Amino acid sequence: DADVTQTPRNRITKTGKRIMLECSQTKGHDRMYWYRQDPGLGLRLIYYSFDVKDINKGEISDGYSVSRQAQAKFSLSLESAIPNQTALYFCATSDPRSNQPQHFGDGTRLSIL
Amino acid sequence: AQSVTQPDIHITVSEGASLELRCNYSYGATPYLFWYVQSPGQGLQLLLKYFSGDTLVQGIKGFEAEFKRSQSSFNLRKPSVHWSDAAEYFCAVGPTGGGNKLTFGTGTQLKVEL
């Protein structure tokens, strides 16, 4: 089983719909992250959480919200989806000790029509 | 603010040829540097990391990278490329001493010709 699991893997939806992307991990890491990937732009940080009671905005948080339901679960919501939120979304986790790398899920491909 | 530049959007090499992917960073202190690889339909896999010590670091799949502080660079190299190395490669920089927030470059797409 994957250490970082994202569901769904693919989603097509319509403008204005509410969407939730889910991420769960079995690595026991406290820190979790949501990124979006767009061609030619690399990965950009949407939100991150350093523990269950800690939520922080990244560089592109507008139009998104998150929920850290437990140490192992971190969900990303699009309250009212718009076409320019079409992208590949990644969840990642990391150990809070210094200098530890992030571990990524396989991504969710989201298309908004 | 920290930033990463990968100047090559696409690179094509022949199988068996050597490879160098460029990465330049901007960071106000000693950086923590990574290279990740993304195969189609997959997440990002860590190739190697640098945070201190020997400036030449070895990674998985035969890759290595050299940290050059004077040039603010962390270029990725492989002596002999295999067709399975075709993927997108990302350089990232983060702060040492904790925090784990990474800034990614825009990626380099590697194509391998047989």
Side-chain angles (χ1 to χ4, degrees), chain B residues 46-63:
Chain B
L46 180 69
L47 285 175
L48 47 79
K49 64 181 181 180
Y50 170 81
F51 62 88
S52 68
D54 193 344
T55 56
L56 184 64
V57 293
Q58 303 297 320
I60 63 171
K61 305 185 180 187
F63 285 92

Side-chain angles (χ1 to χ4, degrees), chain A residues 48-65:
Chain A
Y48 62 102
S49 170
F50 282 175
D51 64 41
V52 174
K53 296 180 180 179
D54 176 76
I55 301 289
N56 303 280
K57 292 182 177 180
E59 64 179 292
I60 54 162
S61 59
D62 287 349
Y64 301 95
S65 62

Side-chain angles (χ1 to χ4, degrees), chain A:
Chain A
D1 289 340
D3 294 326
V4 183
T5 302
Q6 292 184 234
T7 55
R9 291 294 314 278
N10 293 280
R11 179 77 185 271
I12 301 173
T13 191
K14 296 182 178 180
T15 298
K17 295 290 187 181
R18 184 178 188 274
I19 307 298
M20 179 179 284
L21 308 184
E22 299 188 348
C23 178
S24 63
Q25 52 118 343
T26 58
K27 299 190 73 67
H29 289 166
D30 288 327
R31 298 182 173 185
M32 299 187 73
Y33 311 80
W34 275 105
Y35 293 89
R36 66 176 278 176
Q37 183 183 13
D38 299 279
L41 297 179
L43 277 78
R44 293 179 293 166
L45 183 63
I46 306 172
Y47 271 96
Y48 62 102
S49 170
F50 282 175
D51 64 41
V52 174
K53 296 180 180 179
D54 176 76
I55 301 289
N56 303 280
K57 292 182 177 180
E59 64 179 292
I60 54 162
S61 59
D62 287 349
Y64 301 95
S65 62
V66 291
S67 173
R68 185 79 184 266
Q69 300 96 323
Q71 186 209 38
K73 296 184 182 295
F74 192 37
S75 299
L76 176 72
S77 294
L78 289 67
E79 296 302 324
S80 180
I82 56 177
N84 75 2
Q85 292 177 312
T86 293
L88 184 57
Y89 289 84
F90 285 105
C91 175
T93 74
S94 69
D95 188 304
R97 291 174 296 171
S98 296
N99 306 324
Q100 298 301 308
Q102 294 183 15
H103 299 265
F104 286 82
D106 286 339
T108 294
R109 186 167 295 282
L110 178 61
S111 297
I112 300 164
L113 306 178

